[in-house]
Amino acid sequence: MPTQPPPLAGTTTGPAALRPLLATVLDALHDGARRRDGPLPAGGPDAVTPRTRAATHPVIPDQGTGPHHALRTLVTALAEGAADPADPLCTAHLHTPPLALAAAADLAASALNPSMDSWDQAPAASAIEADTTAALAAEVYPHHTGPDALITTGGTEANQLALLLARERNGPVQTVCAASAHHSITRAAWLLGLPAPVVLPAPDGVMDLAALDEALTALHPPLFVTATAGTTDTGRIDPLADIADLCATHGAELHIDAAYGGPLLFSPTHRGKVHGLDLAHSVTLDLHKLGWQPAPAGILAVPHHHDLDPLHHQAPYLNAHDDTEAGLPDLLGRSLRTTRRPDALKIAVTLRALGRDGLADLVDRTLATAHRLADLIAETPGLDLYDRPTISTVLFRPTGADDDTVAAIRRTLLTRGRAVLGRAHAGGRLWLKATLLNPHTTPGHLRTLLSLVHRLAHEIPEGNTPR
Protein backbone atom coordinates (compact mmCIF):
# COMPACT_ATOMS: atom_id res chain seq x y z
CA MET A 1 0.00 0.00 0.00
CA PRO A 2 1.63 3.31 -1.08
CA THR A 3 2.34 5.84 1.65
CA GLN A 4 0.57 9.16 1.48
CA PRO A 5 2.85 12.14 0.95
CA PRO A 6 2.94 14.60 3.86
CA PRO A 7 0.77 17.70 3.46
CA LEU A 8 2.64 20.58 1.87
CA ALA A 9 3.97 22.92 4.50
CA GLY A 10 3.12 26.58 4.14
CA THR A 11 0.31 26.18 1.63
CA THR A 12 -2.45 27.45 3.91
CA THR A 13 -4.05 30.48 2.33
CA GLY A 14 -5.96 33.50 3.54
CA PRO A 15 -5.42 36.14 6.24
CA ALA A 16 -5.96 33.69 9.12
CA ALA A 17 -2.75 31.89 8.20
CA LEU A 18 -0.61 35.01 8.73
CA ARG A 19 -0.54 35.13 12.51
CA PRO A 20 1.98 32.32 13.17
CA LEU A 21 4.26 33.66 10.40
CA LEU A 22 4.39 37.31 11.41
CA ALA A 23 6.63 36.72 14.43
CA THR A 24 9.12 34.91 12.21
CA VAL A 25 9.16 37.79 9.74
CA LEU A 26 9.60 40.43 12.43
CA ASP A 27 12.39 38.47 14.12
CA ALA A 28 14.14 38.03 10.77
CA LEU A 29 13.90 41.75 9.98
CA HIS A 30 15.41 42.59 13.37
CA ASP A 31 18.15 39.97 13.05
CA GLY A 32 19.10 41.10 9.54
CA ALA A 33 19.30 44.74 10.58
CA ARG A 34 21.45 43.80 13.59
CA ARG A 35 23.88 41.92 11.35
CA ARG A 36 24.05 44.83 8.93
CA ASP A 37 24.65 47.41 11.69
CA GLY A 38 24.44 50.46 9.46
CA PRO A 39 22.52 52.11 6.62
CA LEU A 40 23.68 49.48 4.11
CA PRO A 41 25.89 46.36 4.12
CA ALA A 42 29.63 46.82 3.99
CA GLY A 43 31.83 45.38 1.29
CA GLY A 44 30.09 46.48 -1.90
CA PRO A 45 28.66 44.12 -4.53
CA ASP A 46 31.64 41.75 -4.33
CA ALA A 47 30.82 40.99 -0.69
CA VAL A 48 27.05 41.40 -0.58
CA THR A 49 26.09 39.25 -3.57
CA PRO A 50 28.04 36.09 -2.57
CA ARG A 51 26.87 36.38 1.04
CA THR A 52 23.25 36.73 -0.05
CA ARG A 53 23.49 33.84 -2.48
CA ALA A 54 25.10 31.61 0.13
CA ALA A 55 22.12 32.22 2.42
CA THR A 56 19.37 31.87 -0.17
CA HIS A 57 20.49 29.06 -2.50
CA PRO A 58 19.29 26.72 -3.82
CA VAL A 59 16.46 28.92 -5.05
CA ILE A 60 14.33 25.89 -5.97
CA PRO A 61 15.33 22.94 -3.75
CA ASP A 62 14.08 19.42 -4.43
CA GLN A 63 12.46 19.39 -1.00
CA GLY A 64 11.07 22.52 0.58
CA THR A 65 12.43 23.78 3.88
CA GLY A 66 9.05 24.77 5.30
CA PRO A 67 7.57 28.24 5.74
CA HIS A 68 9.32 29.41 8.92
CA HIS A 69 12.79 28.38 7.79
CA ALA A 70 12.29 29.90 4.34
CA LEU A 71 10.96 33.16 5.75
CA ARG A 72 13.66 33.38 8.40
CA THR A 73 16.45 32.69 5.91
CA LEU A 74 15.39 34.94 3.04
CA VAL A 75 14.00 37.83 5.08
CA THR A 76 17.14 37.87 7.22
CA ALA A 77 19.29 37.89 4.07
CA LEU A 78 17.17 40.69 2.58
CA ALA A 79 17.39 42.81 5.73
CA GLU A 80 21.10 42.17 6.21
CA GLY A 81 21.76 43.24 2.65
CA ALA A 82 19.33 46.18 2.55
CA ALA A 83 19.90 49.87 2.08
CA ASP A 84 17.65 50.89 4.95
CA PRO A 85 15.76 54.12 4.17
CA ALA A 86 14.82 54.44 7.84
CA ASP A 87 18.48 54.93 8.76
CA PRO A 88 19.22 58.67 9.00
CA LEU A 89 22.47 58.19 7.06
CA CYS A 90 20.64 56.67 4.07
CA THR A 91 20.02 59.86 2.09
CA ALA A 92 20.97 59.19 -1.52
CA HIS A 93 17.67 59.02 -3.33
CA LEU A 94 13.96 59.78 -3.16
CA HIS A 95 13.77 56.51 -1.24
CA THR A 96 11.50 57.10 1.69
CA PRO A 97 11.29 55.34 5.04
CA PRO A 98 7.68 54.08 4.86
CA LEU A 99 5.34 54.74 7.73
CA ALA A 100 4.75 51.62 9.82
CA LEU A 101 0.99 52.08 9.56
CA ALA A 102 1.21 52.23 5.76
CA ALA A 103 3.34 49.07 5.69
CA ALA A 104 0.77 47.35 7.92
CA ALA A 105 -2.01 48.39 5.55
CA ASP A 106 0.06 47.07 2.66
CA LEU A 107 0.25 43.70 4.40
CA ALA A 108 -3.54 43.63 4.65
CA ALA A 109 -3.79 44.41 0.94
CA SER A 110 -1.44 41.53 0.15
CA ALA A 111 -3.31 39.13 2.41
CA LEU A 112 -6.72 39.86 0.91
CA ASN A 113 -5.26 40.28 -2.61
CA PRO A 114 -8.01 42.30 -4.31
CA SER A 115 -7.44 42.72 -8.02
CA MET A 116 -8.47 46.15 -9.19
CA ASP A 117 -9.64 45.17 -12.68
CA SER A 118 -13.23 44.18 -11.87
CA TRP A 119 -15.70 44.96 -9.09
CA ASP A 120 -16.34 41.33 -8.25
CA GLN A 121 -12.66 40.94 -7.31
CA ALA A 122 -12.50 44.14 -5.26
CA PRO A 123 -15.89 45.30 -3.97
CA ALA A 124 -14.69 47.37 -1.01
CA ALA A 125 -11.24 48.12 -2.43
CA SER A 126 -12.77 49.74 -5.53
CA ALA A 127 -14.85 52.06 -3.33
CA ILE A 128 -11.81 52.96 -1.19
CA GLU A 129 -9.79 53.70 -4.32
CA ALA A 130 -12.51 55.84 -5.89
CA ASP A 131 -12.94 57.97 -2.77
CA THR A 132 -9.21 58.27 -2.10
CA THR A 133 -8.31 59.31 -5.64
CA ALA A 134 -11.18 61.82 -5.74
CA ALA A 135 -9.98 63.34 -2.45
CA LEU A 136 -6.38 63.62 -3.67
CA ALA A 137 -7.52 65.13 -6.97
CA ALA A 138 -9.49 67.74 -5.03
CA GLU A 139 -6.30 68.70 -3.17
CA VAL A 140 -4.62 69.40 -6.51
CA TYR A 141 -7.67 70.98 -8.18
CA PRO A 142 -9.65 72.60 -5.32
CA HIS A 143 -11.63 74.93 -7.59
CA HIS A 144 -12.65 72.39 -10.25
CA THR A 145 -15.85 70.38 -10.42
CA GLY A 146 -15.35 66.63 -10.54
CA PRO A 147 -11.53 66.28 -10.55
CA ASP A 148 -10.20 62.74 -10.55
CA ALA A 149 -6.96 60.79 -10.23
CA LEU A 150 -5.51 57.39 -11.03
CA ILE A 151 -3.25 55.21 -8.93
CA THR A 152 -0.01 54.43 -10.78
CA THR A 153 3.20 52.56 -10.07
CA GLY A 154 5.01 55.88 -9.70
CA GLY A 155 5.97 59.09 -11.41
CA THR A 156 7.22 57.36 -14.55
CA GLU A 157 3.88 55.68 -15.29
CA ALA A 158 1.96 58.82 -14.35
CA ASN A 159 4.04 60.93 -16.76
CA GLN A 160 3.53 58.37 -19.52
CA LEU A 161 -0.22 58.38 -18.95
CA ALA A 162 -0.31 62.19 -19.03
CA LEU A 163 1.40 62.24 -22.42
CA LEU A 164 -0.86 59.44 -23.70
CA LEU A 165 -3.98 61.39 -22.70
CA ALA A 166 -2.61 64.53 -24.39
CA ARG A 167 -1.98 62.54 -27.58
CA GLU A 168 -5.50 61.12 -27.51
CA ARG A 169 -6.99 64.61 -27.09
CA ASN A 170 -4.86 66.39 -29.66
CA GLY A 171 -3.12 63.92 -31.95
CA PRO A 172 0.69 63.63 -32.15
CA VAL A 173 1.92 66.28 -29.72
CA GLN A 174 5.34 67.85 -29.56
CA THR A 175 6.67 67.67 -26.01
CA VAL A 176 8.65 70.60 -24.60
CA CYS A 177 10.57 70.27 -21.33
CA ALA A 178 13.61 71.65 -19.54
CA ALA A 179 16.99 69.96 -19.29
CA SER A 180 16.18 69.39 -15.62
CA ALA A 181 13.04 67.34 -16.39
CA HIS A 182 12.81 63.71 -15.31
CA HIS A 183 14.17 61.16 -17.77
CA SER A 184 10.74 59.50 -17.98
CA ILE A 185 9.49 62.36 -20.18
CA THR A 186 11.86 61.40 -22.99
CA ARG A 187 11.09 57.71 -22.51
CA ALA A 188 7.35 58.38 -22.62
CA ALA A 189 7.65 60.16 -25.98
CA TRP A 190 9.71 57.26 -27.32
CA LEU A 191 7.28 54.68 -25.97
CA LEU A 192 4.30 56.42 -27.59
CA GLY A 193 6.01 56.92 -30.94
CA LEU A 194 6.03 60.71 -30.59
CA PRO A 195 8.77 63.14 -31.58
CA ALA A 196 11.66 63.47 -29.15
CA PRO A 197 11.08 66.32 -26.69
CA VAL A 198 12.40 69.78 -27.40
CA VAL A 199 14.71 70.30 -24.42
CA LEU A 200 15.09 73.85 -23.12
CA PRO A 201 18.00 75.17 -21.05
CA ALA A 202 17.73 75.23 -17.28
CA PRO A 203 20.68 77.43 -16.33
CA ASP A 204 19.56 77.81 -12.72
CA GLY A 205 18.09 74.34 -12.42
CA VAL A 206 14.64 75.45 -13.58
CA MET A 207 12.98 76.03 -16.94
CA ASP A 208 14.08 79.22 -18.70
CA LEU A 209 10.93 81.26 -19.36
CA ALA A 210 12.39 83.27 -22.26
CA ALA A 211 13.49 80.03 -23.94
CA LEU A 212 10.02 78.56 -23.42
CA ASP A 213 8.33 81.61 -24.95
CA GLU A 214 10.67 81.44 -27.93
CA ALA A 215 10.10 77.70 -28.42
CA LEU A 216 6.31 77.93 -28.19
CA THR A 217 6.37 80.77 -30.72
CA ALA A 218 8.48 78.79 -33.20
CA LEU A 219 6.99 75.31 -32.84
CA HIS A 220 3.83 74.05 -34.50
CA PRO A 221 0.91 72.83 -32.40
CA PRO A 222 -0.22 70.63 -30.80
CA LEU A 223 2.30 71.31 -28.01
CA PHE A 224 2.66 69.63 -24.63
CA VAL A 225 4.81 71.37 -22.03
CA THR A 226 6.09 69.45 -19.03
CA ALA A 227 7.15 71.47 -15.99
CA THR A 228 8.73 70.04 -12.86
CA ALA A 229 7.94 70.65 -9.19
CA GLY A 230 10.95 69.04 -7.56
CA THR A 231 13.81 68.03 -9.82
CA THR A 232 15.73 64.87 -9.01
CA ASP A 233 19.14 66.58 -8.96
CA THR A 234 18.52 69.70 -6.90
CA GLY A 235 14.87 69.62 -5.86
CA ARG A 236 14.17 72.88 -7.69
CA ILE A 237 10.64 73.90 -8.68
CA ASP A 238 9.93 75.48 -12.06
CA PRO A 239 8.01 78.81 -12.07
CA LEU A 240 4.71 76.97 -12.47
CA ALA A 241 2.26 79.88 -12.70
CA ASP A 242 4.42 81.77 -15.21
CA ILE A 243 4.78 78.63 -17.33
CA ALA A 244 1.02 78.13 -17.20
CA ASP A 245 0.50 81.71 -18.44
CA LEU A 246 2.83 81.15 -21.39
CA CYS A 247 1.08 77.87 -22.23
CA ALA A 248 -2.30 79.62 -22.19
CA THR A 249 -0.96 82.40 -24.43
CA HIS A 250 0.38 79.94 -27.01
CA GLY A 251 -2.41 77.35 -26.77
CA ALA A 252 -0.14 74.63 -25.39
CA GLU A 253 -1.19 72.01 -22.86
CA LEU A 254 0.68 71.85 -19.55
CA HIS A 255 1.59 68.82 -17.47
CA ILE A 256 3.38 69.25 -14.13
CA ASP A 257 5.57 66.47 -12.82
CA ALA A 258 5.20 67.05 -9.08
CA ALA A 259 6.27 63.54 -8.12
CA TYR A 260 8.63 65.00 -5.51
CA GLY A 261 7.14 68.36 -4.59
CA GLY A 262 3.42 67.69 -4.88
CA PRO A 263 2.87 66.73 -1.21
CA LEU A 264 3.93 70.26 -0.21
CA LEU A 265 0.23 70.93 -0.81
CA PHE A 266 -0.45 69.45 2.63
CA SER A 267 1.72 72.07 4.37
CA PRO A 268 0.33 75.58 4.89
CA THR A 269 3.95 76.68 5.40
CA HIS A 270 5.26 75.36 2.07
CA ARG A 271 2.16 75.14 -0.14
CA GLY A 272 3.04 78.39 -1.91
CA LYS A 273 6.09 76.73 -3.46
CA VAL A 274 3.81 74.72 -5.75
CA HIS A 275 1.40 77.54 -6.56
CA GLY A 276 0.04 76.93 -10.05
CA LEU A 277 -0.44 73.17 -9.88
CA ASP A 278 -4.17 73.61 -10.49
CA LEU A 279 -3.45 75.40 -13.78
CA ALA A 280 -2.11 72.22 -15.40
CA HIS A 281 -4.03 69.79 -17.59
CA SER A 282 -2.54 66.96 -15.51
CA VAL A 283 -0.33 66.58 -12.46
CA THR A 284 1.90 63.72 -11.29
CA LEU A 285 2.28 63.01 -7.57
CA ASP A 286 4.34 60.26 -5.99
CA LEU A 287 3.43 59.44 -2.41
CA HIS A 288 6.23 56.90 -2.02
CA LYS A 289 8.51 59.93 -1.94
CA LEU A 290 7.42 62.81 0.28
CA GLY A 291 4.34 60.84 1.36
CA TRP A 292 6.15 58.07 3.23
CA GLN A 293 4.31 55.20 1.55
CA PRO A 294 5.72 51.78 0.63
CA ALA A 295 6.24 51.74 -3.12
CA PRO A 296 4.30 51.91 -5.33
CA ALA A 297 2.07 54.87 -4.60
CA GLY A 298 1.98 57.10 -7.69
CA ILE A 299 -0.88 59.41 -8.67
CA LEU A 300 -1.98 61.12 -11.90
CA ALA A 301 -4.51 63.86 -11.20
CA VAL A 302 -6.70 65.60 -13.80
CA PRO A 303 -9.15 68.52 -13.42
CA HIS A 304 -12.22 66.56 -14.58
CA HIS A 305 -13.02 62.86 -14.54
CA HIS A 306 -13.98 63.00 -18.24
CA ASP A 307 -10.30 63.72 -18.99
CA LEU A 308 -9.71 60.02 -18.31
CA ASP A 309 -12.28 58.78 -20.85
CA PRO A 310 -9.66 57.85 -23.49
CA LEU A 311 -8.47 55.09 -21.15
CA HIS A 312 -11.80 53.27 -21.36
CA HIS A 313 -11.38 49.67 -22.48
CA GLN A 314 -13.84 46.83 -22.72
CA ALA A 315 -13.26 43.16 -21.98
CA PRO A 316 -16.55 41.23 -21.69
CA TYR A 317 -15.34 38.96 -18.90
CA LEU A 318 -14.43 41.96 -16.73
CA ASN A 319 -16.80 44.81 -17.63
CA ALA A 320 -19.64 43.51 -19.76
CA HIS A 321 -21.99 46.25 -20.96
CA ASP A 322 -25.02 44.83 -19.20
CA ASP A 323 -23.10 44.54 -15.91
CA THR A 324 -22.07 48.19 -16.19
CA GLU A 325 -25.60 49.25 -17.06
CA ALA A 326 -26.83 47.28 -14.03
CA GLY A 327 -24.59 49.37 -11.77
CA LEU A 328 -21.37 47.38 -11.36
CA PRO A 329 -18.42 49.83 -11.44
CA ASP A 330 -16.23 49.64 -14.55
CA LEU A 331 -12.61 49.53 -13.34
CA LEU A 332 -10.70 48.84 -16.56
CA GLY A 333 -10.48 52.51 -17.45
CA ARG A 334 -8.66 53.23 -14.19
CA SER A 335 -5.33 51.98 -15.53
CA LEU A 336 -3.51 50.56 -18.54
CA ARG A 337 -2.74 47.58 -16.32
CA THR A 338 -5.22 44.78 -15.80
CA THR A 339 -4.32 42.98 -12.59
CA ARG A 340 -3.13 45.56 -10.06
CA ARG A 341 -2.87 45.83 -6.30
CA PRO A 342 -5.16 47.96 -4.07
CA ASP A 343 -2.39 50.50 -3.45
CA ALA A 344 -4.99 53.08 -2.45
CA LEU A 345 -5.54 51.26 0.87
CA LYS A 346 -2.22 52.26 2.46
CA ILE A 347 -2.71 55.84 1.22
CA ALA A 348 -6.25 55.94 2.64
CA VAL A 349 -5.07 54.59 6.01
CA THR A 350 -2.33 57.23 6.17
CA LEU A 351 -4.66 60.09 5.25
CA ARG A 352 -7.22 58.95 7.83
CA ALA A 353 -4.66 58.34 10.58
CA LEU A 354 -2.64 61.55 10.22
CA GLY A 355 -5.03 64.02 8.65
CA ARG A 356 -3.83 67.26 7.10
CA ASP A 357 -2.20 68.42 10.33
CA GLY A 358 -0.16 65.22 10.72
CA LEU A 359 0.97 65.23 7.11
CA ALA A 360 1.88 68.92 7.35
CA ASP A 361 3.97 68.19 10.43
CA LEU A 362 5.91 65.46 8.61
CA VAL A 363 6.52 67.71 5.61
CA ASP A 364 7.54 70.68 7.74
CA ARG A 365 9.91 68.67 9.94
CA THR A 366 11.55 67.08 6.91
CA LEU A 367 12.16 70.38 5.15
CA ALA A 368 13.41 71.94 8.39
CA THR A 369 15.95 69.12 8.66
CA ALA A 370 17.23 69.91 5.16
CA HIS A 371 17.75 73.54 6.15
CA ARG A 372 19.59 72.43 9.30
CA LEU A 373 21.93 70.38 7.13
CA ALA A 374 22.52 73.36 4.85
CA ASP A 375 23.31 75.50 7.90
CA LEU A 376 25.80 72.94 9.21
CA ILE A 377 27.55 72.69 5.84
CA ALA A 378 27.82 76.48 5.59
CA GLU A 379 29.30 76.57 9.11
CA THR A 380 31.81 73.75 8.51
CA PRO A 381 35.26 74.77 7.22
CA GLY A 382 36.32 72.55 4.36
CA LEU A 383 32.80 71.96 2.97
CA ASP A 384 31.00 73.91 0.23
CA LEU A 385 27.22 74.24 -0.02
CA TYR A 386 25.70 74.44 -3.51
CA ASP A 387 22.58 76.37 -2.50
CA ARG A 388 19.79 76.54 0.05
CA PRO A 389 17.35 73.63 -0.39
CA THR A 390 14.04 74.25 -2.16
CA ILE A 391 12.47 71.05 -0.81
CA SER A 392 14.74 68.58 0.98
CA THR A 393 17.68 68.03 -1.39
CA VAL A 394 21.04 69.43 -0.29
CA LEU A 395 24.14 69.43 -2.49
CA PHE A 396 27.61 69.84 -1.01
CA ARG A 397 31.24 68.88 -1.58
CA PRO A 398 34.63 69.14 0.12
CA THR A 399 36.35 72.44 -0.61
CA GLY A 400 38.99 72.08 -3.31
CA ALA A 401 38.12 68.49 -4.19
CA ASP A 402 37.95 67.54 -7.86
CA ASP A 403 35.05 65.55 -9.31
CA ASP A 404 36.98 62.26 -9.18
CA THR A 405 37.54 62.73 -5.46
CA VAL A 406 33.87 63.55 -4.85
CA ALA A 407 32.86 60.36 -6.67
CA ALA A 408 35.47 58.36 -4.73
CA ILE A 409 34.19 59.67 -1.39
CA ARG A 410 30.67 58.55 -2.22
CA ARG A 411 31.76 55.07 -3.33
CA THR A 412 33.98 54.64 -0.28
CA LEU A 413 31.07 55.46 2.04
CA LEU A 414 28.96 52.88 0.20
CA THR A 415 31.64 50.20 0.25
CA ARG A 416 32.30 50.66 3.96
CA GLY A 417 28.56 50.63 4.69
CA ARG A 418 28.76 53.94 6.55
CA ALA A 419 26.42 56.24 4.60
CA VAL A 420 24.37 56.41 1.41
CA LEU A 421 24.77 59.68 -0.48
CA GLY A 422 23.73 60.44 -4.04
CA ARG A 423 25.52 62.42 -6.71
CA ALA A 424 24.43 65.26 -8.97
CA HIS A 425 25.99 67.54 -11.56
CA ALA A 426 25.22 71.22 -11.07
CA GLY A 427 27.07 74.34 -12.06
CA GLY A 428 29.52 72.29 -14.10
CA ARG A 429 30.70 70.25 -11.09
CA LEU A 430 29.90 67.00 -9.33
CA TRP A 431 28.29 67.29 -5.90
CA LEU A 432 27.37 64.91 -3.13
CA LYS A 433 23.59 64.83 -2.82
CA ALA A 434 21.67 64.32 0.41
CA THR A 435 17.95 63.83 -0.13
CA LEU A 436 16.42 64.07 3.32
CA LEU A 437 13.10 62.25 3.74
CA ASN A 438 13.29 61.01 7.32
CA PRO A 439 11.39 63.38 9.64
CA HIS A 440 13.12 61.80 12.65
CA THR A 441 16.65 62.72 11.57
CA THR A 442 18.42 64.73 14.29
CA PRO A 443 21.20 67.34 14.14
CA GLY A 444 23.48 64.67 15.62
CA HIS A 445 22.84 62.41 12.64
CA LEU A 446 23.61 65.29 10.27
CA ARG A 447 26.89 66.05 12.05
CA THR A 448 27.88 62.40 11.81
CA LEU A 449 27.22 62.43 8.07
CA LEU A 450 29.33 65.55 7.52
CA SER A 451 32.11 64.21 9.74
CA LEU A 452 32.32 61.05 7.63
CA VAL A 453 32.62 63.10 4.43
CA HIS A 454 35.13 65.53 5.93
CA ARG A 455 37.31 62.68 7.21
CA LEU A 456 37.29 60.87 3.86
CA ALA A 457 38.22 64.05 2.02
CA HIS A 458 41.57 63.81 3.83
CA GLU A 459 41.94 60.04 3.43
CA ILE A 460 41.61 59.90 -0.35
CA PRO A 461 45.09 59.66 -1.94
CA GLU A 462 46.81 63.00 -2.45
CA GLY A 463 46.79 62.71 -6.23
CA ASN A 464 42.99 62.69 -6.30
CA THR A 465 42.51 65.85 -4.31
CA PRO A 466 44.14 69.10 -5.39
CA ARG A 467 45.58 70.99 -2.41
Side-chain angles (χ1 to χ4, degrees), residues 163-182:
L163 184 52
L164 171 64
L165 291 170
R167 186 193 69 180
E168 294 305 293
R169 284 192 297 268
N170 303 297
V173 294
Q174 173 62 66
T175 304
V176 181
C177 65
S180 52
H182 193 259

Side-chain angles (χ1 to χ4, degrees), residues 174-177 198 200 207-226 242-254:
Q174 173 62 66
T175 304
V176 181
C177 65
V198 172
L200 305 178
M207 184 179 290
D208 184 283
L209 290 173
L212 176 62
D213 190 19
E214 182 179 343
L216 295 182
T217 300
L219 294 169
H220 298 291
L223 302 174
F224 179 79
V225 176
T226 294
D242 292 336
I243 292 171
D245 287 345
L246 283 174
C247 288
T249 297
H250 291 279
E253 289 202 358
L254 172 62

Side-chain angles (χ1 to χ4, degrees), residues 32-59:
R34 179 183 55 79
R35 295 184 190 184
R36 184 183 65 246
D37 190 30
L40 79 167
D46 291 344
V48 175
T49 301
R51 183 168 64 243
T52 304
R53 285 177 174 160
T56 60
H57 279 55
V59 174

Side-chain angles (χ1 to χ4, degrees), residues 321-365:
H321 289 305
D322 57 318
D323 279 349
T324 303
E325 291 171 1
L328 295 184
D330 180 354
L331 304 184
L332 273 189
R334 304 295 300 176
S335 178
L336 291 182
R337 294 170 284 151
T338 303
T339 302
R340 58 188 180 89
R341 301 181 74 250
D343 289 311
L345 176 64
K346 61 199 174 193
I347 300 171
V349 167
T350 301
L351 296 174
R352 181 67 177 268
L354 300 183
R356 286 191 179 86
D357 287 348
L359 289 166
D361 181 59
L362 289 177
V363 169
D364 292 349
R365 278 197 280 155

Side-chain angles (χ1 to χ4, degrees), residues 140-378:
V140 178
Y141 295 105
H143 308 300
H144 289 70
T145 301
D148 204 352
L150 301 176
I151 302 288
T152 71
T153 54
T156 293
E157 183 189 357
N159 288 338
Q160 290 172 350
L161 283 173
L163 184 52
L164 171 64
L165 291 170
R167 186 193 69 180
E168 294 305 293
R169 284 192 297 268
N170 303 297
V173 294
Q174 173 62 66
T175 304
V176 181
C177 65
S180 52
H182 193 259
H183 65 86
S184 62
I185 304 302
T186 298
R187 294 189 76 188
W190 164 76
L191 181 68
L192 295 169
L194 296 171
V198 172
V199 179
L200 305 178
D204 298 315
V206 296
M207 184 179 290
D208 184 283
L209 290 173
L212 176 62
D213 190 19
E214 182 179 343
L216 295 182
T217 300
L219 294 169
H220 298 291
L223 302 174
F224 179 79
V225 176
T226 294
T228 307
T231 60
T232 54
D233 276 350
T234 62
R236 293 284 176 82
I237 297 173
D238 287 336
L240 305 179
D242 292 336
I243 292 171
D245 287 345
L246 283 174
C247 288
T249 297
H250 291 279
E253 289 202 358
L254 172 62
H255 169 67
I256 299 177
D257 177 3
Y260 182 9
L264 297 181
L265 283 171
F266 292 114
S267 166
T269 302
H270 297 287
R271 185 181 299 140
K273 293 180 179 180
V274 290
H275 172 67
L277 278 187
D278 61 328
L279 302 176
H281 291 80
S282 53
V283 174
T284 288
L285 303 177
D286 205 344
L287 297 179
H288 58 248
K289 293 183 172 63
L290 205 59
W292 298 280
Q293 298 298 295
I299 303 289
L300 177 69
V302 293
H304 196 279
H305 64 88
H306 287 313
D307 295 329
L308 301 175
D309 286 350
L311 299 179
H312 173 73
H313 180 66
Q314 218 258 324
Y317 76 104
L318 294 173
N319 60 345
H321 289 305
D322 57 318
D323 279 349
T324 303
E325 291 171 1
L328 295 184
D330 180 354
L331 304 184
L332 273 189
R334 304 295 300 176
S335 178
L336 291 182
R337 294 170 284 151
T338 303
T339 302
R340 58 188 180 89
R341 301 181 74 250
D343 289 311
L345 176 64
K346 61 199 174 193
I347 300 171
V349 167
T350 301
L351 296 174
R352 181 67 177 268
L354 300 183
R356 286 191 179 86
D357 287 348
L359 289 166
D361 181 59
L362 289 177
V363 169
D364 292 349
R365 278 197 280 155
T366 300
L367 269 63
T369 299
H371 281 276
R372 282 193 208 101
L373 177 59
D375 290 339
L376 288 171
I377 293 167

Side-chain angles (χ1 to χ4, degrees), residues 400-466:
D402 61 16
D403 287 358
D404 289 340
T405 301
V406 172
I409 289 171
R410 174 181 176 271
R411 285 192 295 270
T412 302
L413 289 170
L414 293 176
T415 303
R416 294 181 182 178
R418 302 300 302 278
V420 190
L421 283 168
R423 53 186 286 165
H425 282 276
R429 307 167 79 190
L430 182 66
W431 299 80
L432 297 170
K433 178 176 72 169
T435 306
L436 299 170
L437 289 174
N438 189 335
H440 302 294
T441 299
T442 68
H445 295 133
L446 301 177
R447 292 188 188 96
T448 297
L449 179 65
L450 297 184
S451 176
L452 289 169
V453 171
H454 196 270
R455 193 177 310 135
L456 271 183
H458 293 87
E459 285 185 23
I460 299 295
E462 180 75 19
N464 287 4
T465 308

